């Protein structure tokens, strides 16, 4: 059913839970399915770039396992945020030596938030690494990234599931959403931080939900909620969850076809 169709792949933000995106990509490749166009936000932008770059699932996992999240020398007191996001540029240059969208094997659209104008910006041409860093710069942990005199932060603030940039260029859209929500107990909403986190999660989920329904096939894996957004110990678990959900979803739709 995928023959002669242009396939779009949309990848949400969600921190370490985004390793489930890699699991889906692994399942797609096992079924002989490759996307023609990719869009992503935050961790979805990073996975999307590695996929567009032609990296294997194993190479993608190595990238995230080997990249330090909280390296002491990356901490900053001169920028808003605890960690200087631009210090990761050297790590990214190893995987993207040409540092351009044009060097990738397929079109890629990544979203970042322009903090000064209060708008989302999509990047798909020119320099690659800075927009990637910006898209994944989750406040207040990571500092904003300066691009052309503007400060950019995590794309998920404005658009956590950017279907808009692929749906008019494809015939079949596959989506992966790892910003999942589950019912909570009263004990889980005992302070302002927990309340803020819950409200933010619900707002993102609400905006994602309508867009997910526009996908021809999507996964929203259960089980990811147990994995911390910045917990690198959950990399393998999130990857395996994404792979199992992706494999079953593809098997299901192909069996019906």
């Amino acid at each position: 059913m995928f023959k002669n169709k242009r396939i779009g792949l949309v990848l949400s933000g969600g921190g370490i839970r985004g390793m489930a995106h890699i699991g889906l990509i692994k399942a797609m490749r096992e079924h002989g399915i490759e996307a023609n166009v990719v869009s992503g936000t935050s961790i979805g932008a990073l996975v999307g770039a590695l996929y567009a770059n032609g990296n294997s699932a194993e190479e993608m996992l190595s990238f995230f396992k080997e990249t330090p999240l909280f390296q002491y020398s990356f901490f900053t007191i001169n920028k808003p945020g605890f960690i200087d996001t631009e210090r990761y540029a050297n790590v990214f240059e190893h995987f993207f030596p040409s540092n351009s969208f044009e060097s990738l094997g397929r079109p890629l659209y990544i979203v970042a938030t322009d903090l000064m104008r209060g708008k989302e910006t999509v990047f798909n041409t020119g320099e690659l690494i800075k927009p990637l860093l910006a898209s994944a710069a989750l406040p207040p942990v990571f500092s904003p990234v300066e691009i052309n005199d503007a400060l950019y932060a995590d794309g998920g603030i404005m658009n956590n599931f950017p279907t808009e940039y692929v749906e008019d260029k494809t015939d079949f859209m596959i989506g992966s959403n790892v910003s999942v929500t589950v019912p909570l107990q009263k004990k889980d909403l005992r302070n302002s931080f927990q309340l803020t986190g819950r409200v933010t999660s619900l707002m993102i989920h609400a905006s994602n939900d309508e867009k997910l329904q526009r996908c021809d096939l999507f996964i929203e894996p259960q089980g990811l909620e147990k994995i911390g957004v910045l917990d690198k110990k959950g990399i393998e678990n999130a990857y395996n969850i994404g792979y199992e959900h992706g494999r079953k979803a593809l098997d299901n739709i192909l069996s019906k076809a």
Side-chain angles (χ1 to χ4, degrees), residues 95-223:
F95 279 80
F96 307 105
S98 297
N99 190 20
S100 73
F101 282 87
E102 290 75 13
S103 68
L104 300 174
R106 47 177 58 86
L108 171 69
Y109 296 83
I110 62 176
V111 175
T113 298
D114 183 333
L115 293 174
M116 298 164 70
R117 294 190 305 154
K119 295 182 178 181
E120 74 177 81
T121 299
V122 61
F123 295 90
N124 71 312
T125 61
E127 182 181 0
L128 173 66
I129 292 175
K130 273 199 170 184
L132 280 178
L133 292 172
S135 184
L138 177 66
V141 178
F142 299 99
S143 68
V145 175
E146 184 172 341
I147 303 174
N148 298 328
D149 295 322
L151 293 176
Y152 291 90
D154 196 296
I157 298 169
M158 300 297 293
N159 187 350
N160 200 50
F161 197 69
T163 56
E164 303 91 328
Y165 305 107
V166 304
E167 57 189 338
D168 62 341
K169 303 174 182 66
T170 57
D171 308 307
F172 192 96
M173 196 158 55
I174 299 174
S176 177
N177 177 40
V178 297
S179 293
V180 295
T181 60
V182 294
L184 297 181
Q185 304 293 322
K186 285 184 179 179
K187 63 181 178 63
D188 299 315
L189 296 170
R190 290 181 297 186
N191 58 55
S192 298
F193 293 107
Q194 291 174 326
L195 179 61
T196 300
R198 180 60 169 176
V199 171
T200 301
S201 175
L202 291 174
M203 289 171 62
I204 289 174
H205 186 270
S207 66
N208 279 6
D209 196 49
E210 184 271 329
K211 291 184 178 182
L212 275 171
Q213 305 310 316
R214 303 211 298 254
C215 292
D216 299 285
L217 172 70
F218 71 86
I219 66 167
E220 198 172 28
Q222 298 303 305

Side-chain angles (χ1 to χ4, degrees), residues 9-12 18-19 21-22 25 29 34-57 59-61 63-64 91-111 123-136 162 166:
L9 179 63
V10 185
L11 307 174
S12 79
M19 299 303 97
H21 297 326
I22 303 176
I25 290 168
R29 285 174 167 165
E34 295 284 356
N36 301 95
V37 185
V38 186
S39 70
T41 290
S42 195
I43 192 71
L46 301 185
V47 173
L50 291 165
Y51 176 61
N53 195 46
N55 293 103
S56 67
E59 288 170 335
M60 295 184 208
L61 288 174
F63 173 85
F64 291 103
V91 178
F92 281 48
E93 286 170 1
H94 175 71
F95 279 80
F96 307 105
S98 297
N99 190 20
S100 73
F101 282 87
E102 290 75 13
S103 68
L104 300 174
R106 47 177 58 86
L108 171 69
Y109 296 83
I110 62 176
V111 175
F123 295 90
N124 71 312
T125 61
E127 182 181 0
L128 173 66
I129 292 175
K130 273 199 170 184
L132 280 178
L133 292 172
S135 184
V166 304

